[in-house]
């Protein structure tokens, strides 16, 4: 029973991380500070590979992984192993569709490699 508060805090941190990344990158973009040298050194890895319109895509990727894991474990724990492949397939098709619509990467090679990775 003592682990419940620990898991609640951990869950809150895991869920809050993508929200903080979106807030921070969108705020920096609005203030036109994404190209500042200091900001680029400290936070550039979160948005350097993406087009300026989708600087929040790293947060989307974290959320995507949370959805996949959040789908996998409850279904596996509830003995719903027969529906698990279908549900995960639907999630993967949805994620691939979002990727193909947004085309978030600034380099063509990254776009191709990500589409191959999501489609496999």
């Amino acid at each position: 029973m003592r682990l419940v508060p620990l898991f609640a805090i951990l869950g809150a941190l895991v869920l809050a991380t993508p929200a903080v990344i979106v807030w921070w990158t969108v705020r920096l973009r609005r203030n036109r500070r994404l190209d500042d040298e200091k900001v680029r050194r400290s936070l550039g890895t979160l948005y350097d590979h993406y087009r300026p319109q989708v600087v929040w895509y790293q947060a989307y990727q974290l959320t995507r992984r949370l959805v996949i894991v959040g789908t996998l474990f409850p279904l596996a724990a509830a003995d719903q192993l027969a529906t698990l492949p279908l549900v995960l397939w639907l999630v993967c098709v949805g994620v691939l569709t979002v990727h193909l619509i947004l085309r978030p990467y600034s380099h063509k090679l990254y776009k191709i490699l990500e589409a191959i990775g999501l489609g496999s």
Side-chain angles (χ1 to χ4, degrees):
M1 290 298 173
R2 293 181 184 180
L3 291 178
V4 172
L6 178 65
F7 284 125
I9 292 170
L10 183 62
L13 286 173
V14 166
L15 294 175
T17 301
V20 169
I21 291 172
V22 167
W23 174 78
W24 202 307
T25 54
V26 169
R27 184 172 159 248
L28 288 171
R29 182 174 171 233
R30 283 185 186 154
N31 294 336
R32 293 183 168 85
R33 293 188 53 214
L34 287 177
D35 292 327
D36 288 356
E37 186 63 32
K38 185 178 178 183
V39 173
R40 188 170 290 280
R41 270 188 277 129
S42 60
L43 298 173
T45 58
L46 294 176
Y47 63 85
D48 268 348
H49 300 297
Y50 305 116
R51 294 182 302 120
Q53 298 84 358
V54 287
V55 292
W56 47 265
Y57 196 76
Q58 182 67 33
Y60 167 76
Q61 286 191 334
L62 290 172
T63 306
R64 176 192 77 193
R65 292 176 185 127
L66 288 172
V67 167
I68 291 172
V69 171
T71 303
L72 176 71
F73 283 114
L75 287 176
D79 242 2
Q80 299 292 326
L81 297 178
T83 60
L84 187 61
L86 175 64
V87 171
L88 288 177
W89 181 80
L90 289 172
V91 169
C92 288
V93 167
V95 165
L96 181 60
T97 303
V98 168
H99 173 75
L100 292 175
I101 290 171
L102 291 178
R103 297 182 325 251
Y105 291 101
S106 57
H107 301 291
K108 189 173 184 176
L109 178 63
Y110 294 156
K111 294 175 191 176
I112 294 169
L113 291 175
E114 182 76 6
I116 291 171
L118 291 174
S120 60

